[in-house]
Amino acid sequence: MRPVRALMLMLCLAAAATVRAADAPPLFTLHEVGHGVWAATSAPTSKAGSNAGFVIGNDAVLVVDSFEDPAAARALLAAIHARTSLPVRYLVNTHYHLDHVAGNGVFRDAGAVILAQHSVRAWERTENLKFFGPGITPAQKAMVQAYVLPTVTYRDGVDIDLGGRTVLVQVMPGHTGGDSVVMVPDARVVFTGDLFWNHSLPNLIDADTAAQIRTNDAFLREHPDATFVPGHGEVAHAADVRAFRDYLVTLRQTITAAQARGEHGDALQRDVLARLKRDCGHWDYFGYFAASNITQTVAELAGHKRRPVPVP
Ligand SMILES: [Zn+2]
């Protein structure tokens, strides 16, 4: 380890704080990734279900995503209150998936306005039902249909002045068709939502992988020196974004090459899986998402993948 790296690691450890309930795995760990800019990263075993974060200005606080579990959202709100007495005025949902919106009510009740790309408002209580499968229980259905919706929506993005700093929210394509990136230019921090997963296989259930590759190329081109807060995985930098982008490229290319050899069905699935395992077998969620990444990308390349219908 080079000395500069050791120093950076020490600084990171000094700024990190772990939030956990008694005898439970940590809900999330806080990292100050820029002055007043915090990432809340959660491990795959955490009930928080995803990453979140917050940005403190001179006048107000903006939160990025609200976790899968309202208890984690309450812990995040408490962590914000421990650091500032400023009002929590905004919550941006990076997309509709339940692991990023289930805690919305906690921030609404604290006085925050919830913002998202305009389709998110329609999809949050409908498209999230599919994650429970055909055996969804009445209680699960009621839970999804009670999710608190964004009340301010935008087509392309929105700039939000927090006092002394402006946060830029920009719609970018790839993960669901309703994805927002939250940028803090003065701190060179980019919250990517699930457009980028750090050393983790992604959920591609709604993805347009060609668009998602283009979006990750844009991250690298436009923010080469940024600190990236992914939707899942640890705080990251350009090399990690490139590794994720390369995974998506490999996934598509390996499927196309297998099809060119005449493979399909189980044989294609087996050979592509073996190829992906070589580079990424140690990534988070490999066992959970690898098989569905292949079948969903086969469908996408064949042009018959079902994706959420954009709201006009
Ligand atoms: Zn997610």
Side-chain angles (χ1 to χ4, degrees), residues 23-263:
D23 298 327
L27 287 168
F28 54 80
T29 301
L30 288 168
H31 312 264
E32 190 168 22
V33 291
H35 179 66
V37 184
W38 293 80
T41 59
S42 75
T45 50
S46 165
K47 285 165 66 179
S50 72
N51 293 342
F54 56 95
V55 185
I56 304 172
N58 291 334
D59 299 335
V61 181
L62 175 145
V63 179
V64 182
D65 284 340
S66 68
F67 293 128
E68 183 168 355
D69 180 357
R74 284 191 291 274
L76 185 64
L77 183 62
I80 296 168
H81 287 329
R83 285 163 178 80
T84 177
S85 56
L86 290 170
V88 179
R89 202 166 277 161
Y90 310 99
L91 165 64
V92 176
N93 288 150
T94 59
H95 59 295
Y96 81 83
H97 285 168
L98 53 83
D99 52 324
H100 300 258
V101 305
N104 278 3
V106 171
F107 295 99
R108 189 260 328 256
D109 293 348
V113 171
I114 305 174
L115 305 96
Q117 188 270 357
H118 76 283
S119 292
V120 172
R121 193 177 149 80
W123 293 343
E124 210 180 280
R125 292 180 180 170
T126 54
E127 289 287 337
N128 272 322
L129 296 169
K130 66 179 175 245
F131 293 110
F132 297 88
I136 187 170
T137 66
Q140 288 167 331
K141 199 168 179 180
M143 179 183 73
V144 170
Q145 291 177 339
Y147 283 161
V148 172
L149 301 178
T151 55
V152 174
T153 63
Y154 45 83
R155 253 68 178 177
D156 301 314
V158 62
D159 299 351
I160 303 173
D161 188 336
L162 299 180
R165 75 187 335 165
T166 301
V167 170
L168 310 180
V169 181
Q170 186 182 338
V171 173
M172 296 184 81
H175 180 57
T176 62
D179 300 290
S180 295
V181 174
V182 178
M183 293 167 280
V184 191
D186 67 73
R188 291 191 186 173
V189 175
V190 180
F191 293 88
T192 66
D194 283 1
L195 290 161
F196 161 52
W197 300 51
N198 187 11
H199 290 83
S200 172
L201 260 62
N203 182 349
L204 294 180
I205 191 167
D206 298 324
D208 173 341
T209 56
Q212 195 157 358
I213 290 165
R214 286 197 302 276
T215 288
N216 279 270
D217 281 335
F219 290 156
L220 292 166
R221 194 173 58 244
E222 294 165 18
H223 310 284
D225 304 319
T227 299
F228 293 94
V229 181
H232 298 263
E234 281 307 313
V235 172
H237 294 93
D240 308 304
V241 174
R242 190 166 297 111
F244 177 71
R245 175 231 182 252
D246 289 349
Y247 166 77
L248 294 177
V249 170
T250 302
L251 173 66
R252 290 171 60 96
Q253 285 179 346
T254 311
I255 290 169
T256 305
Q259 288 171 332
R261 292 193 301 270
E263 287 183 14

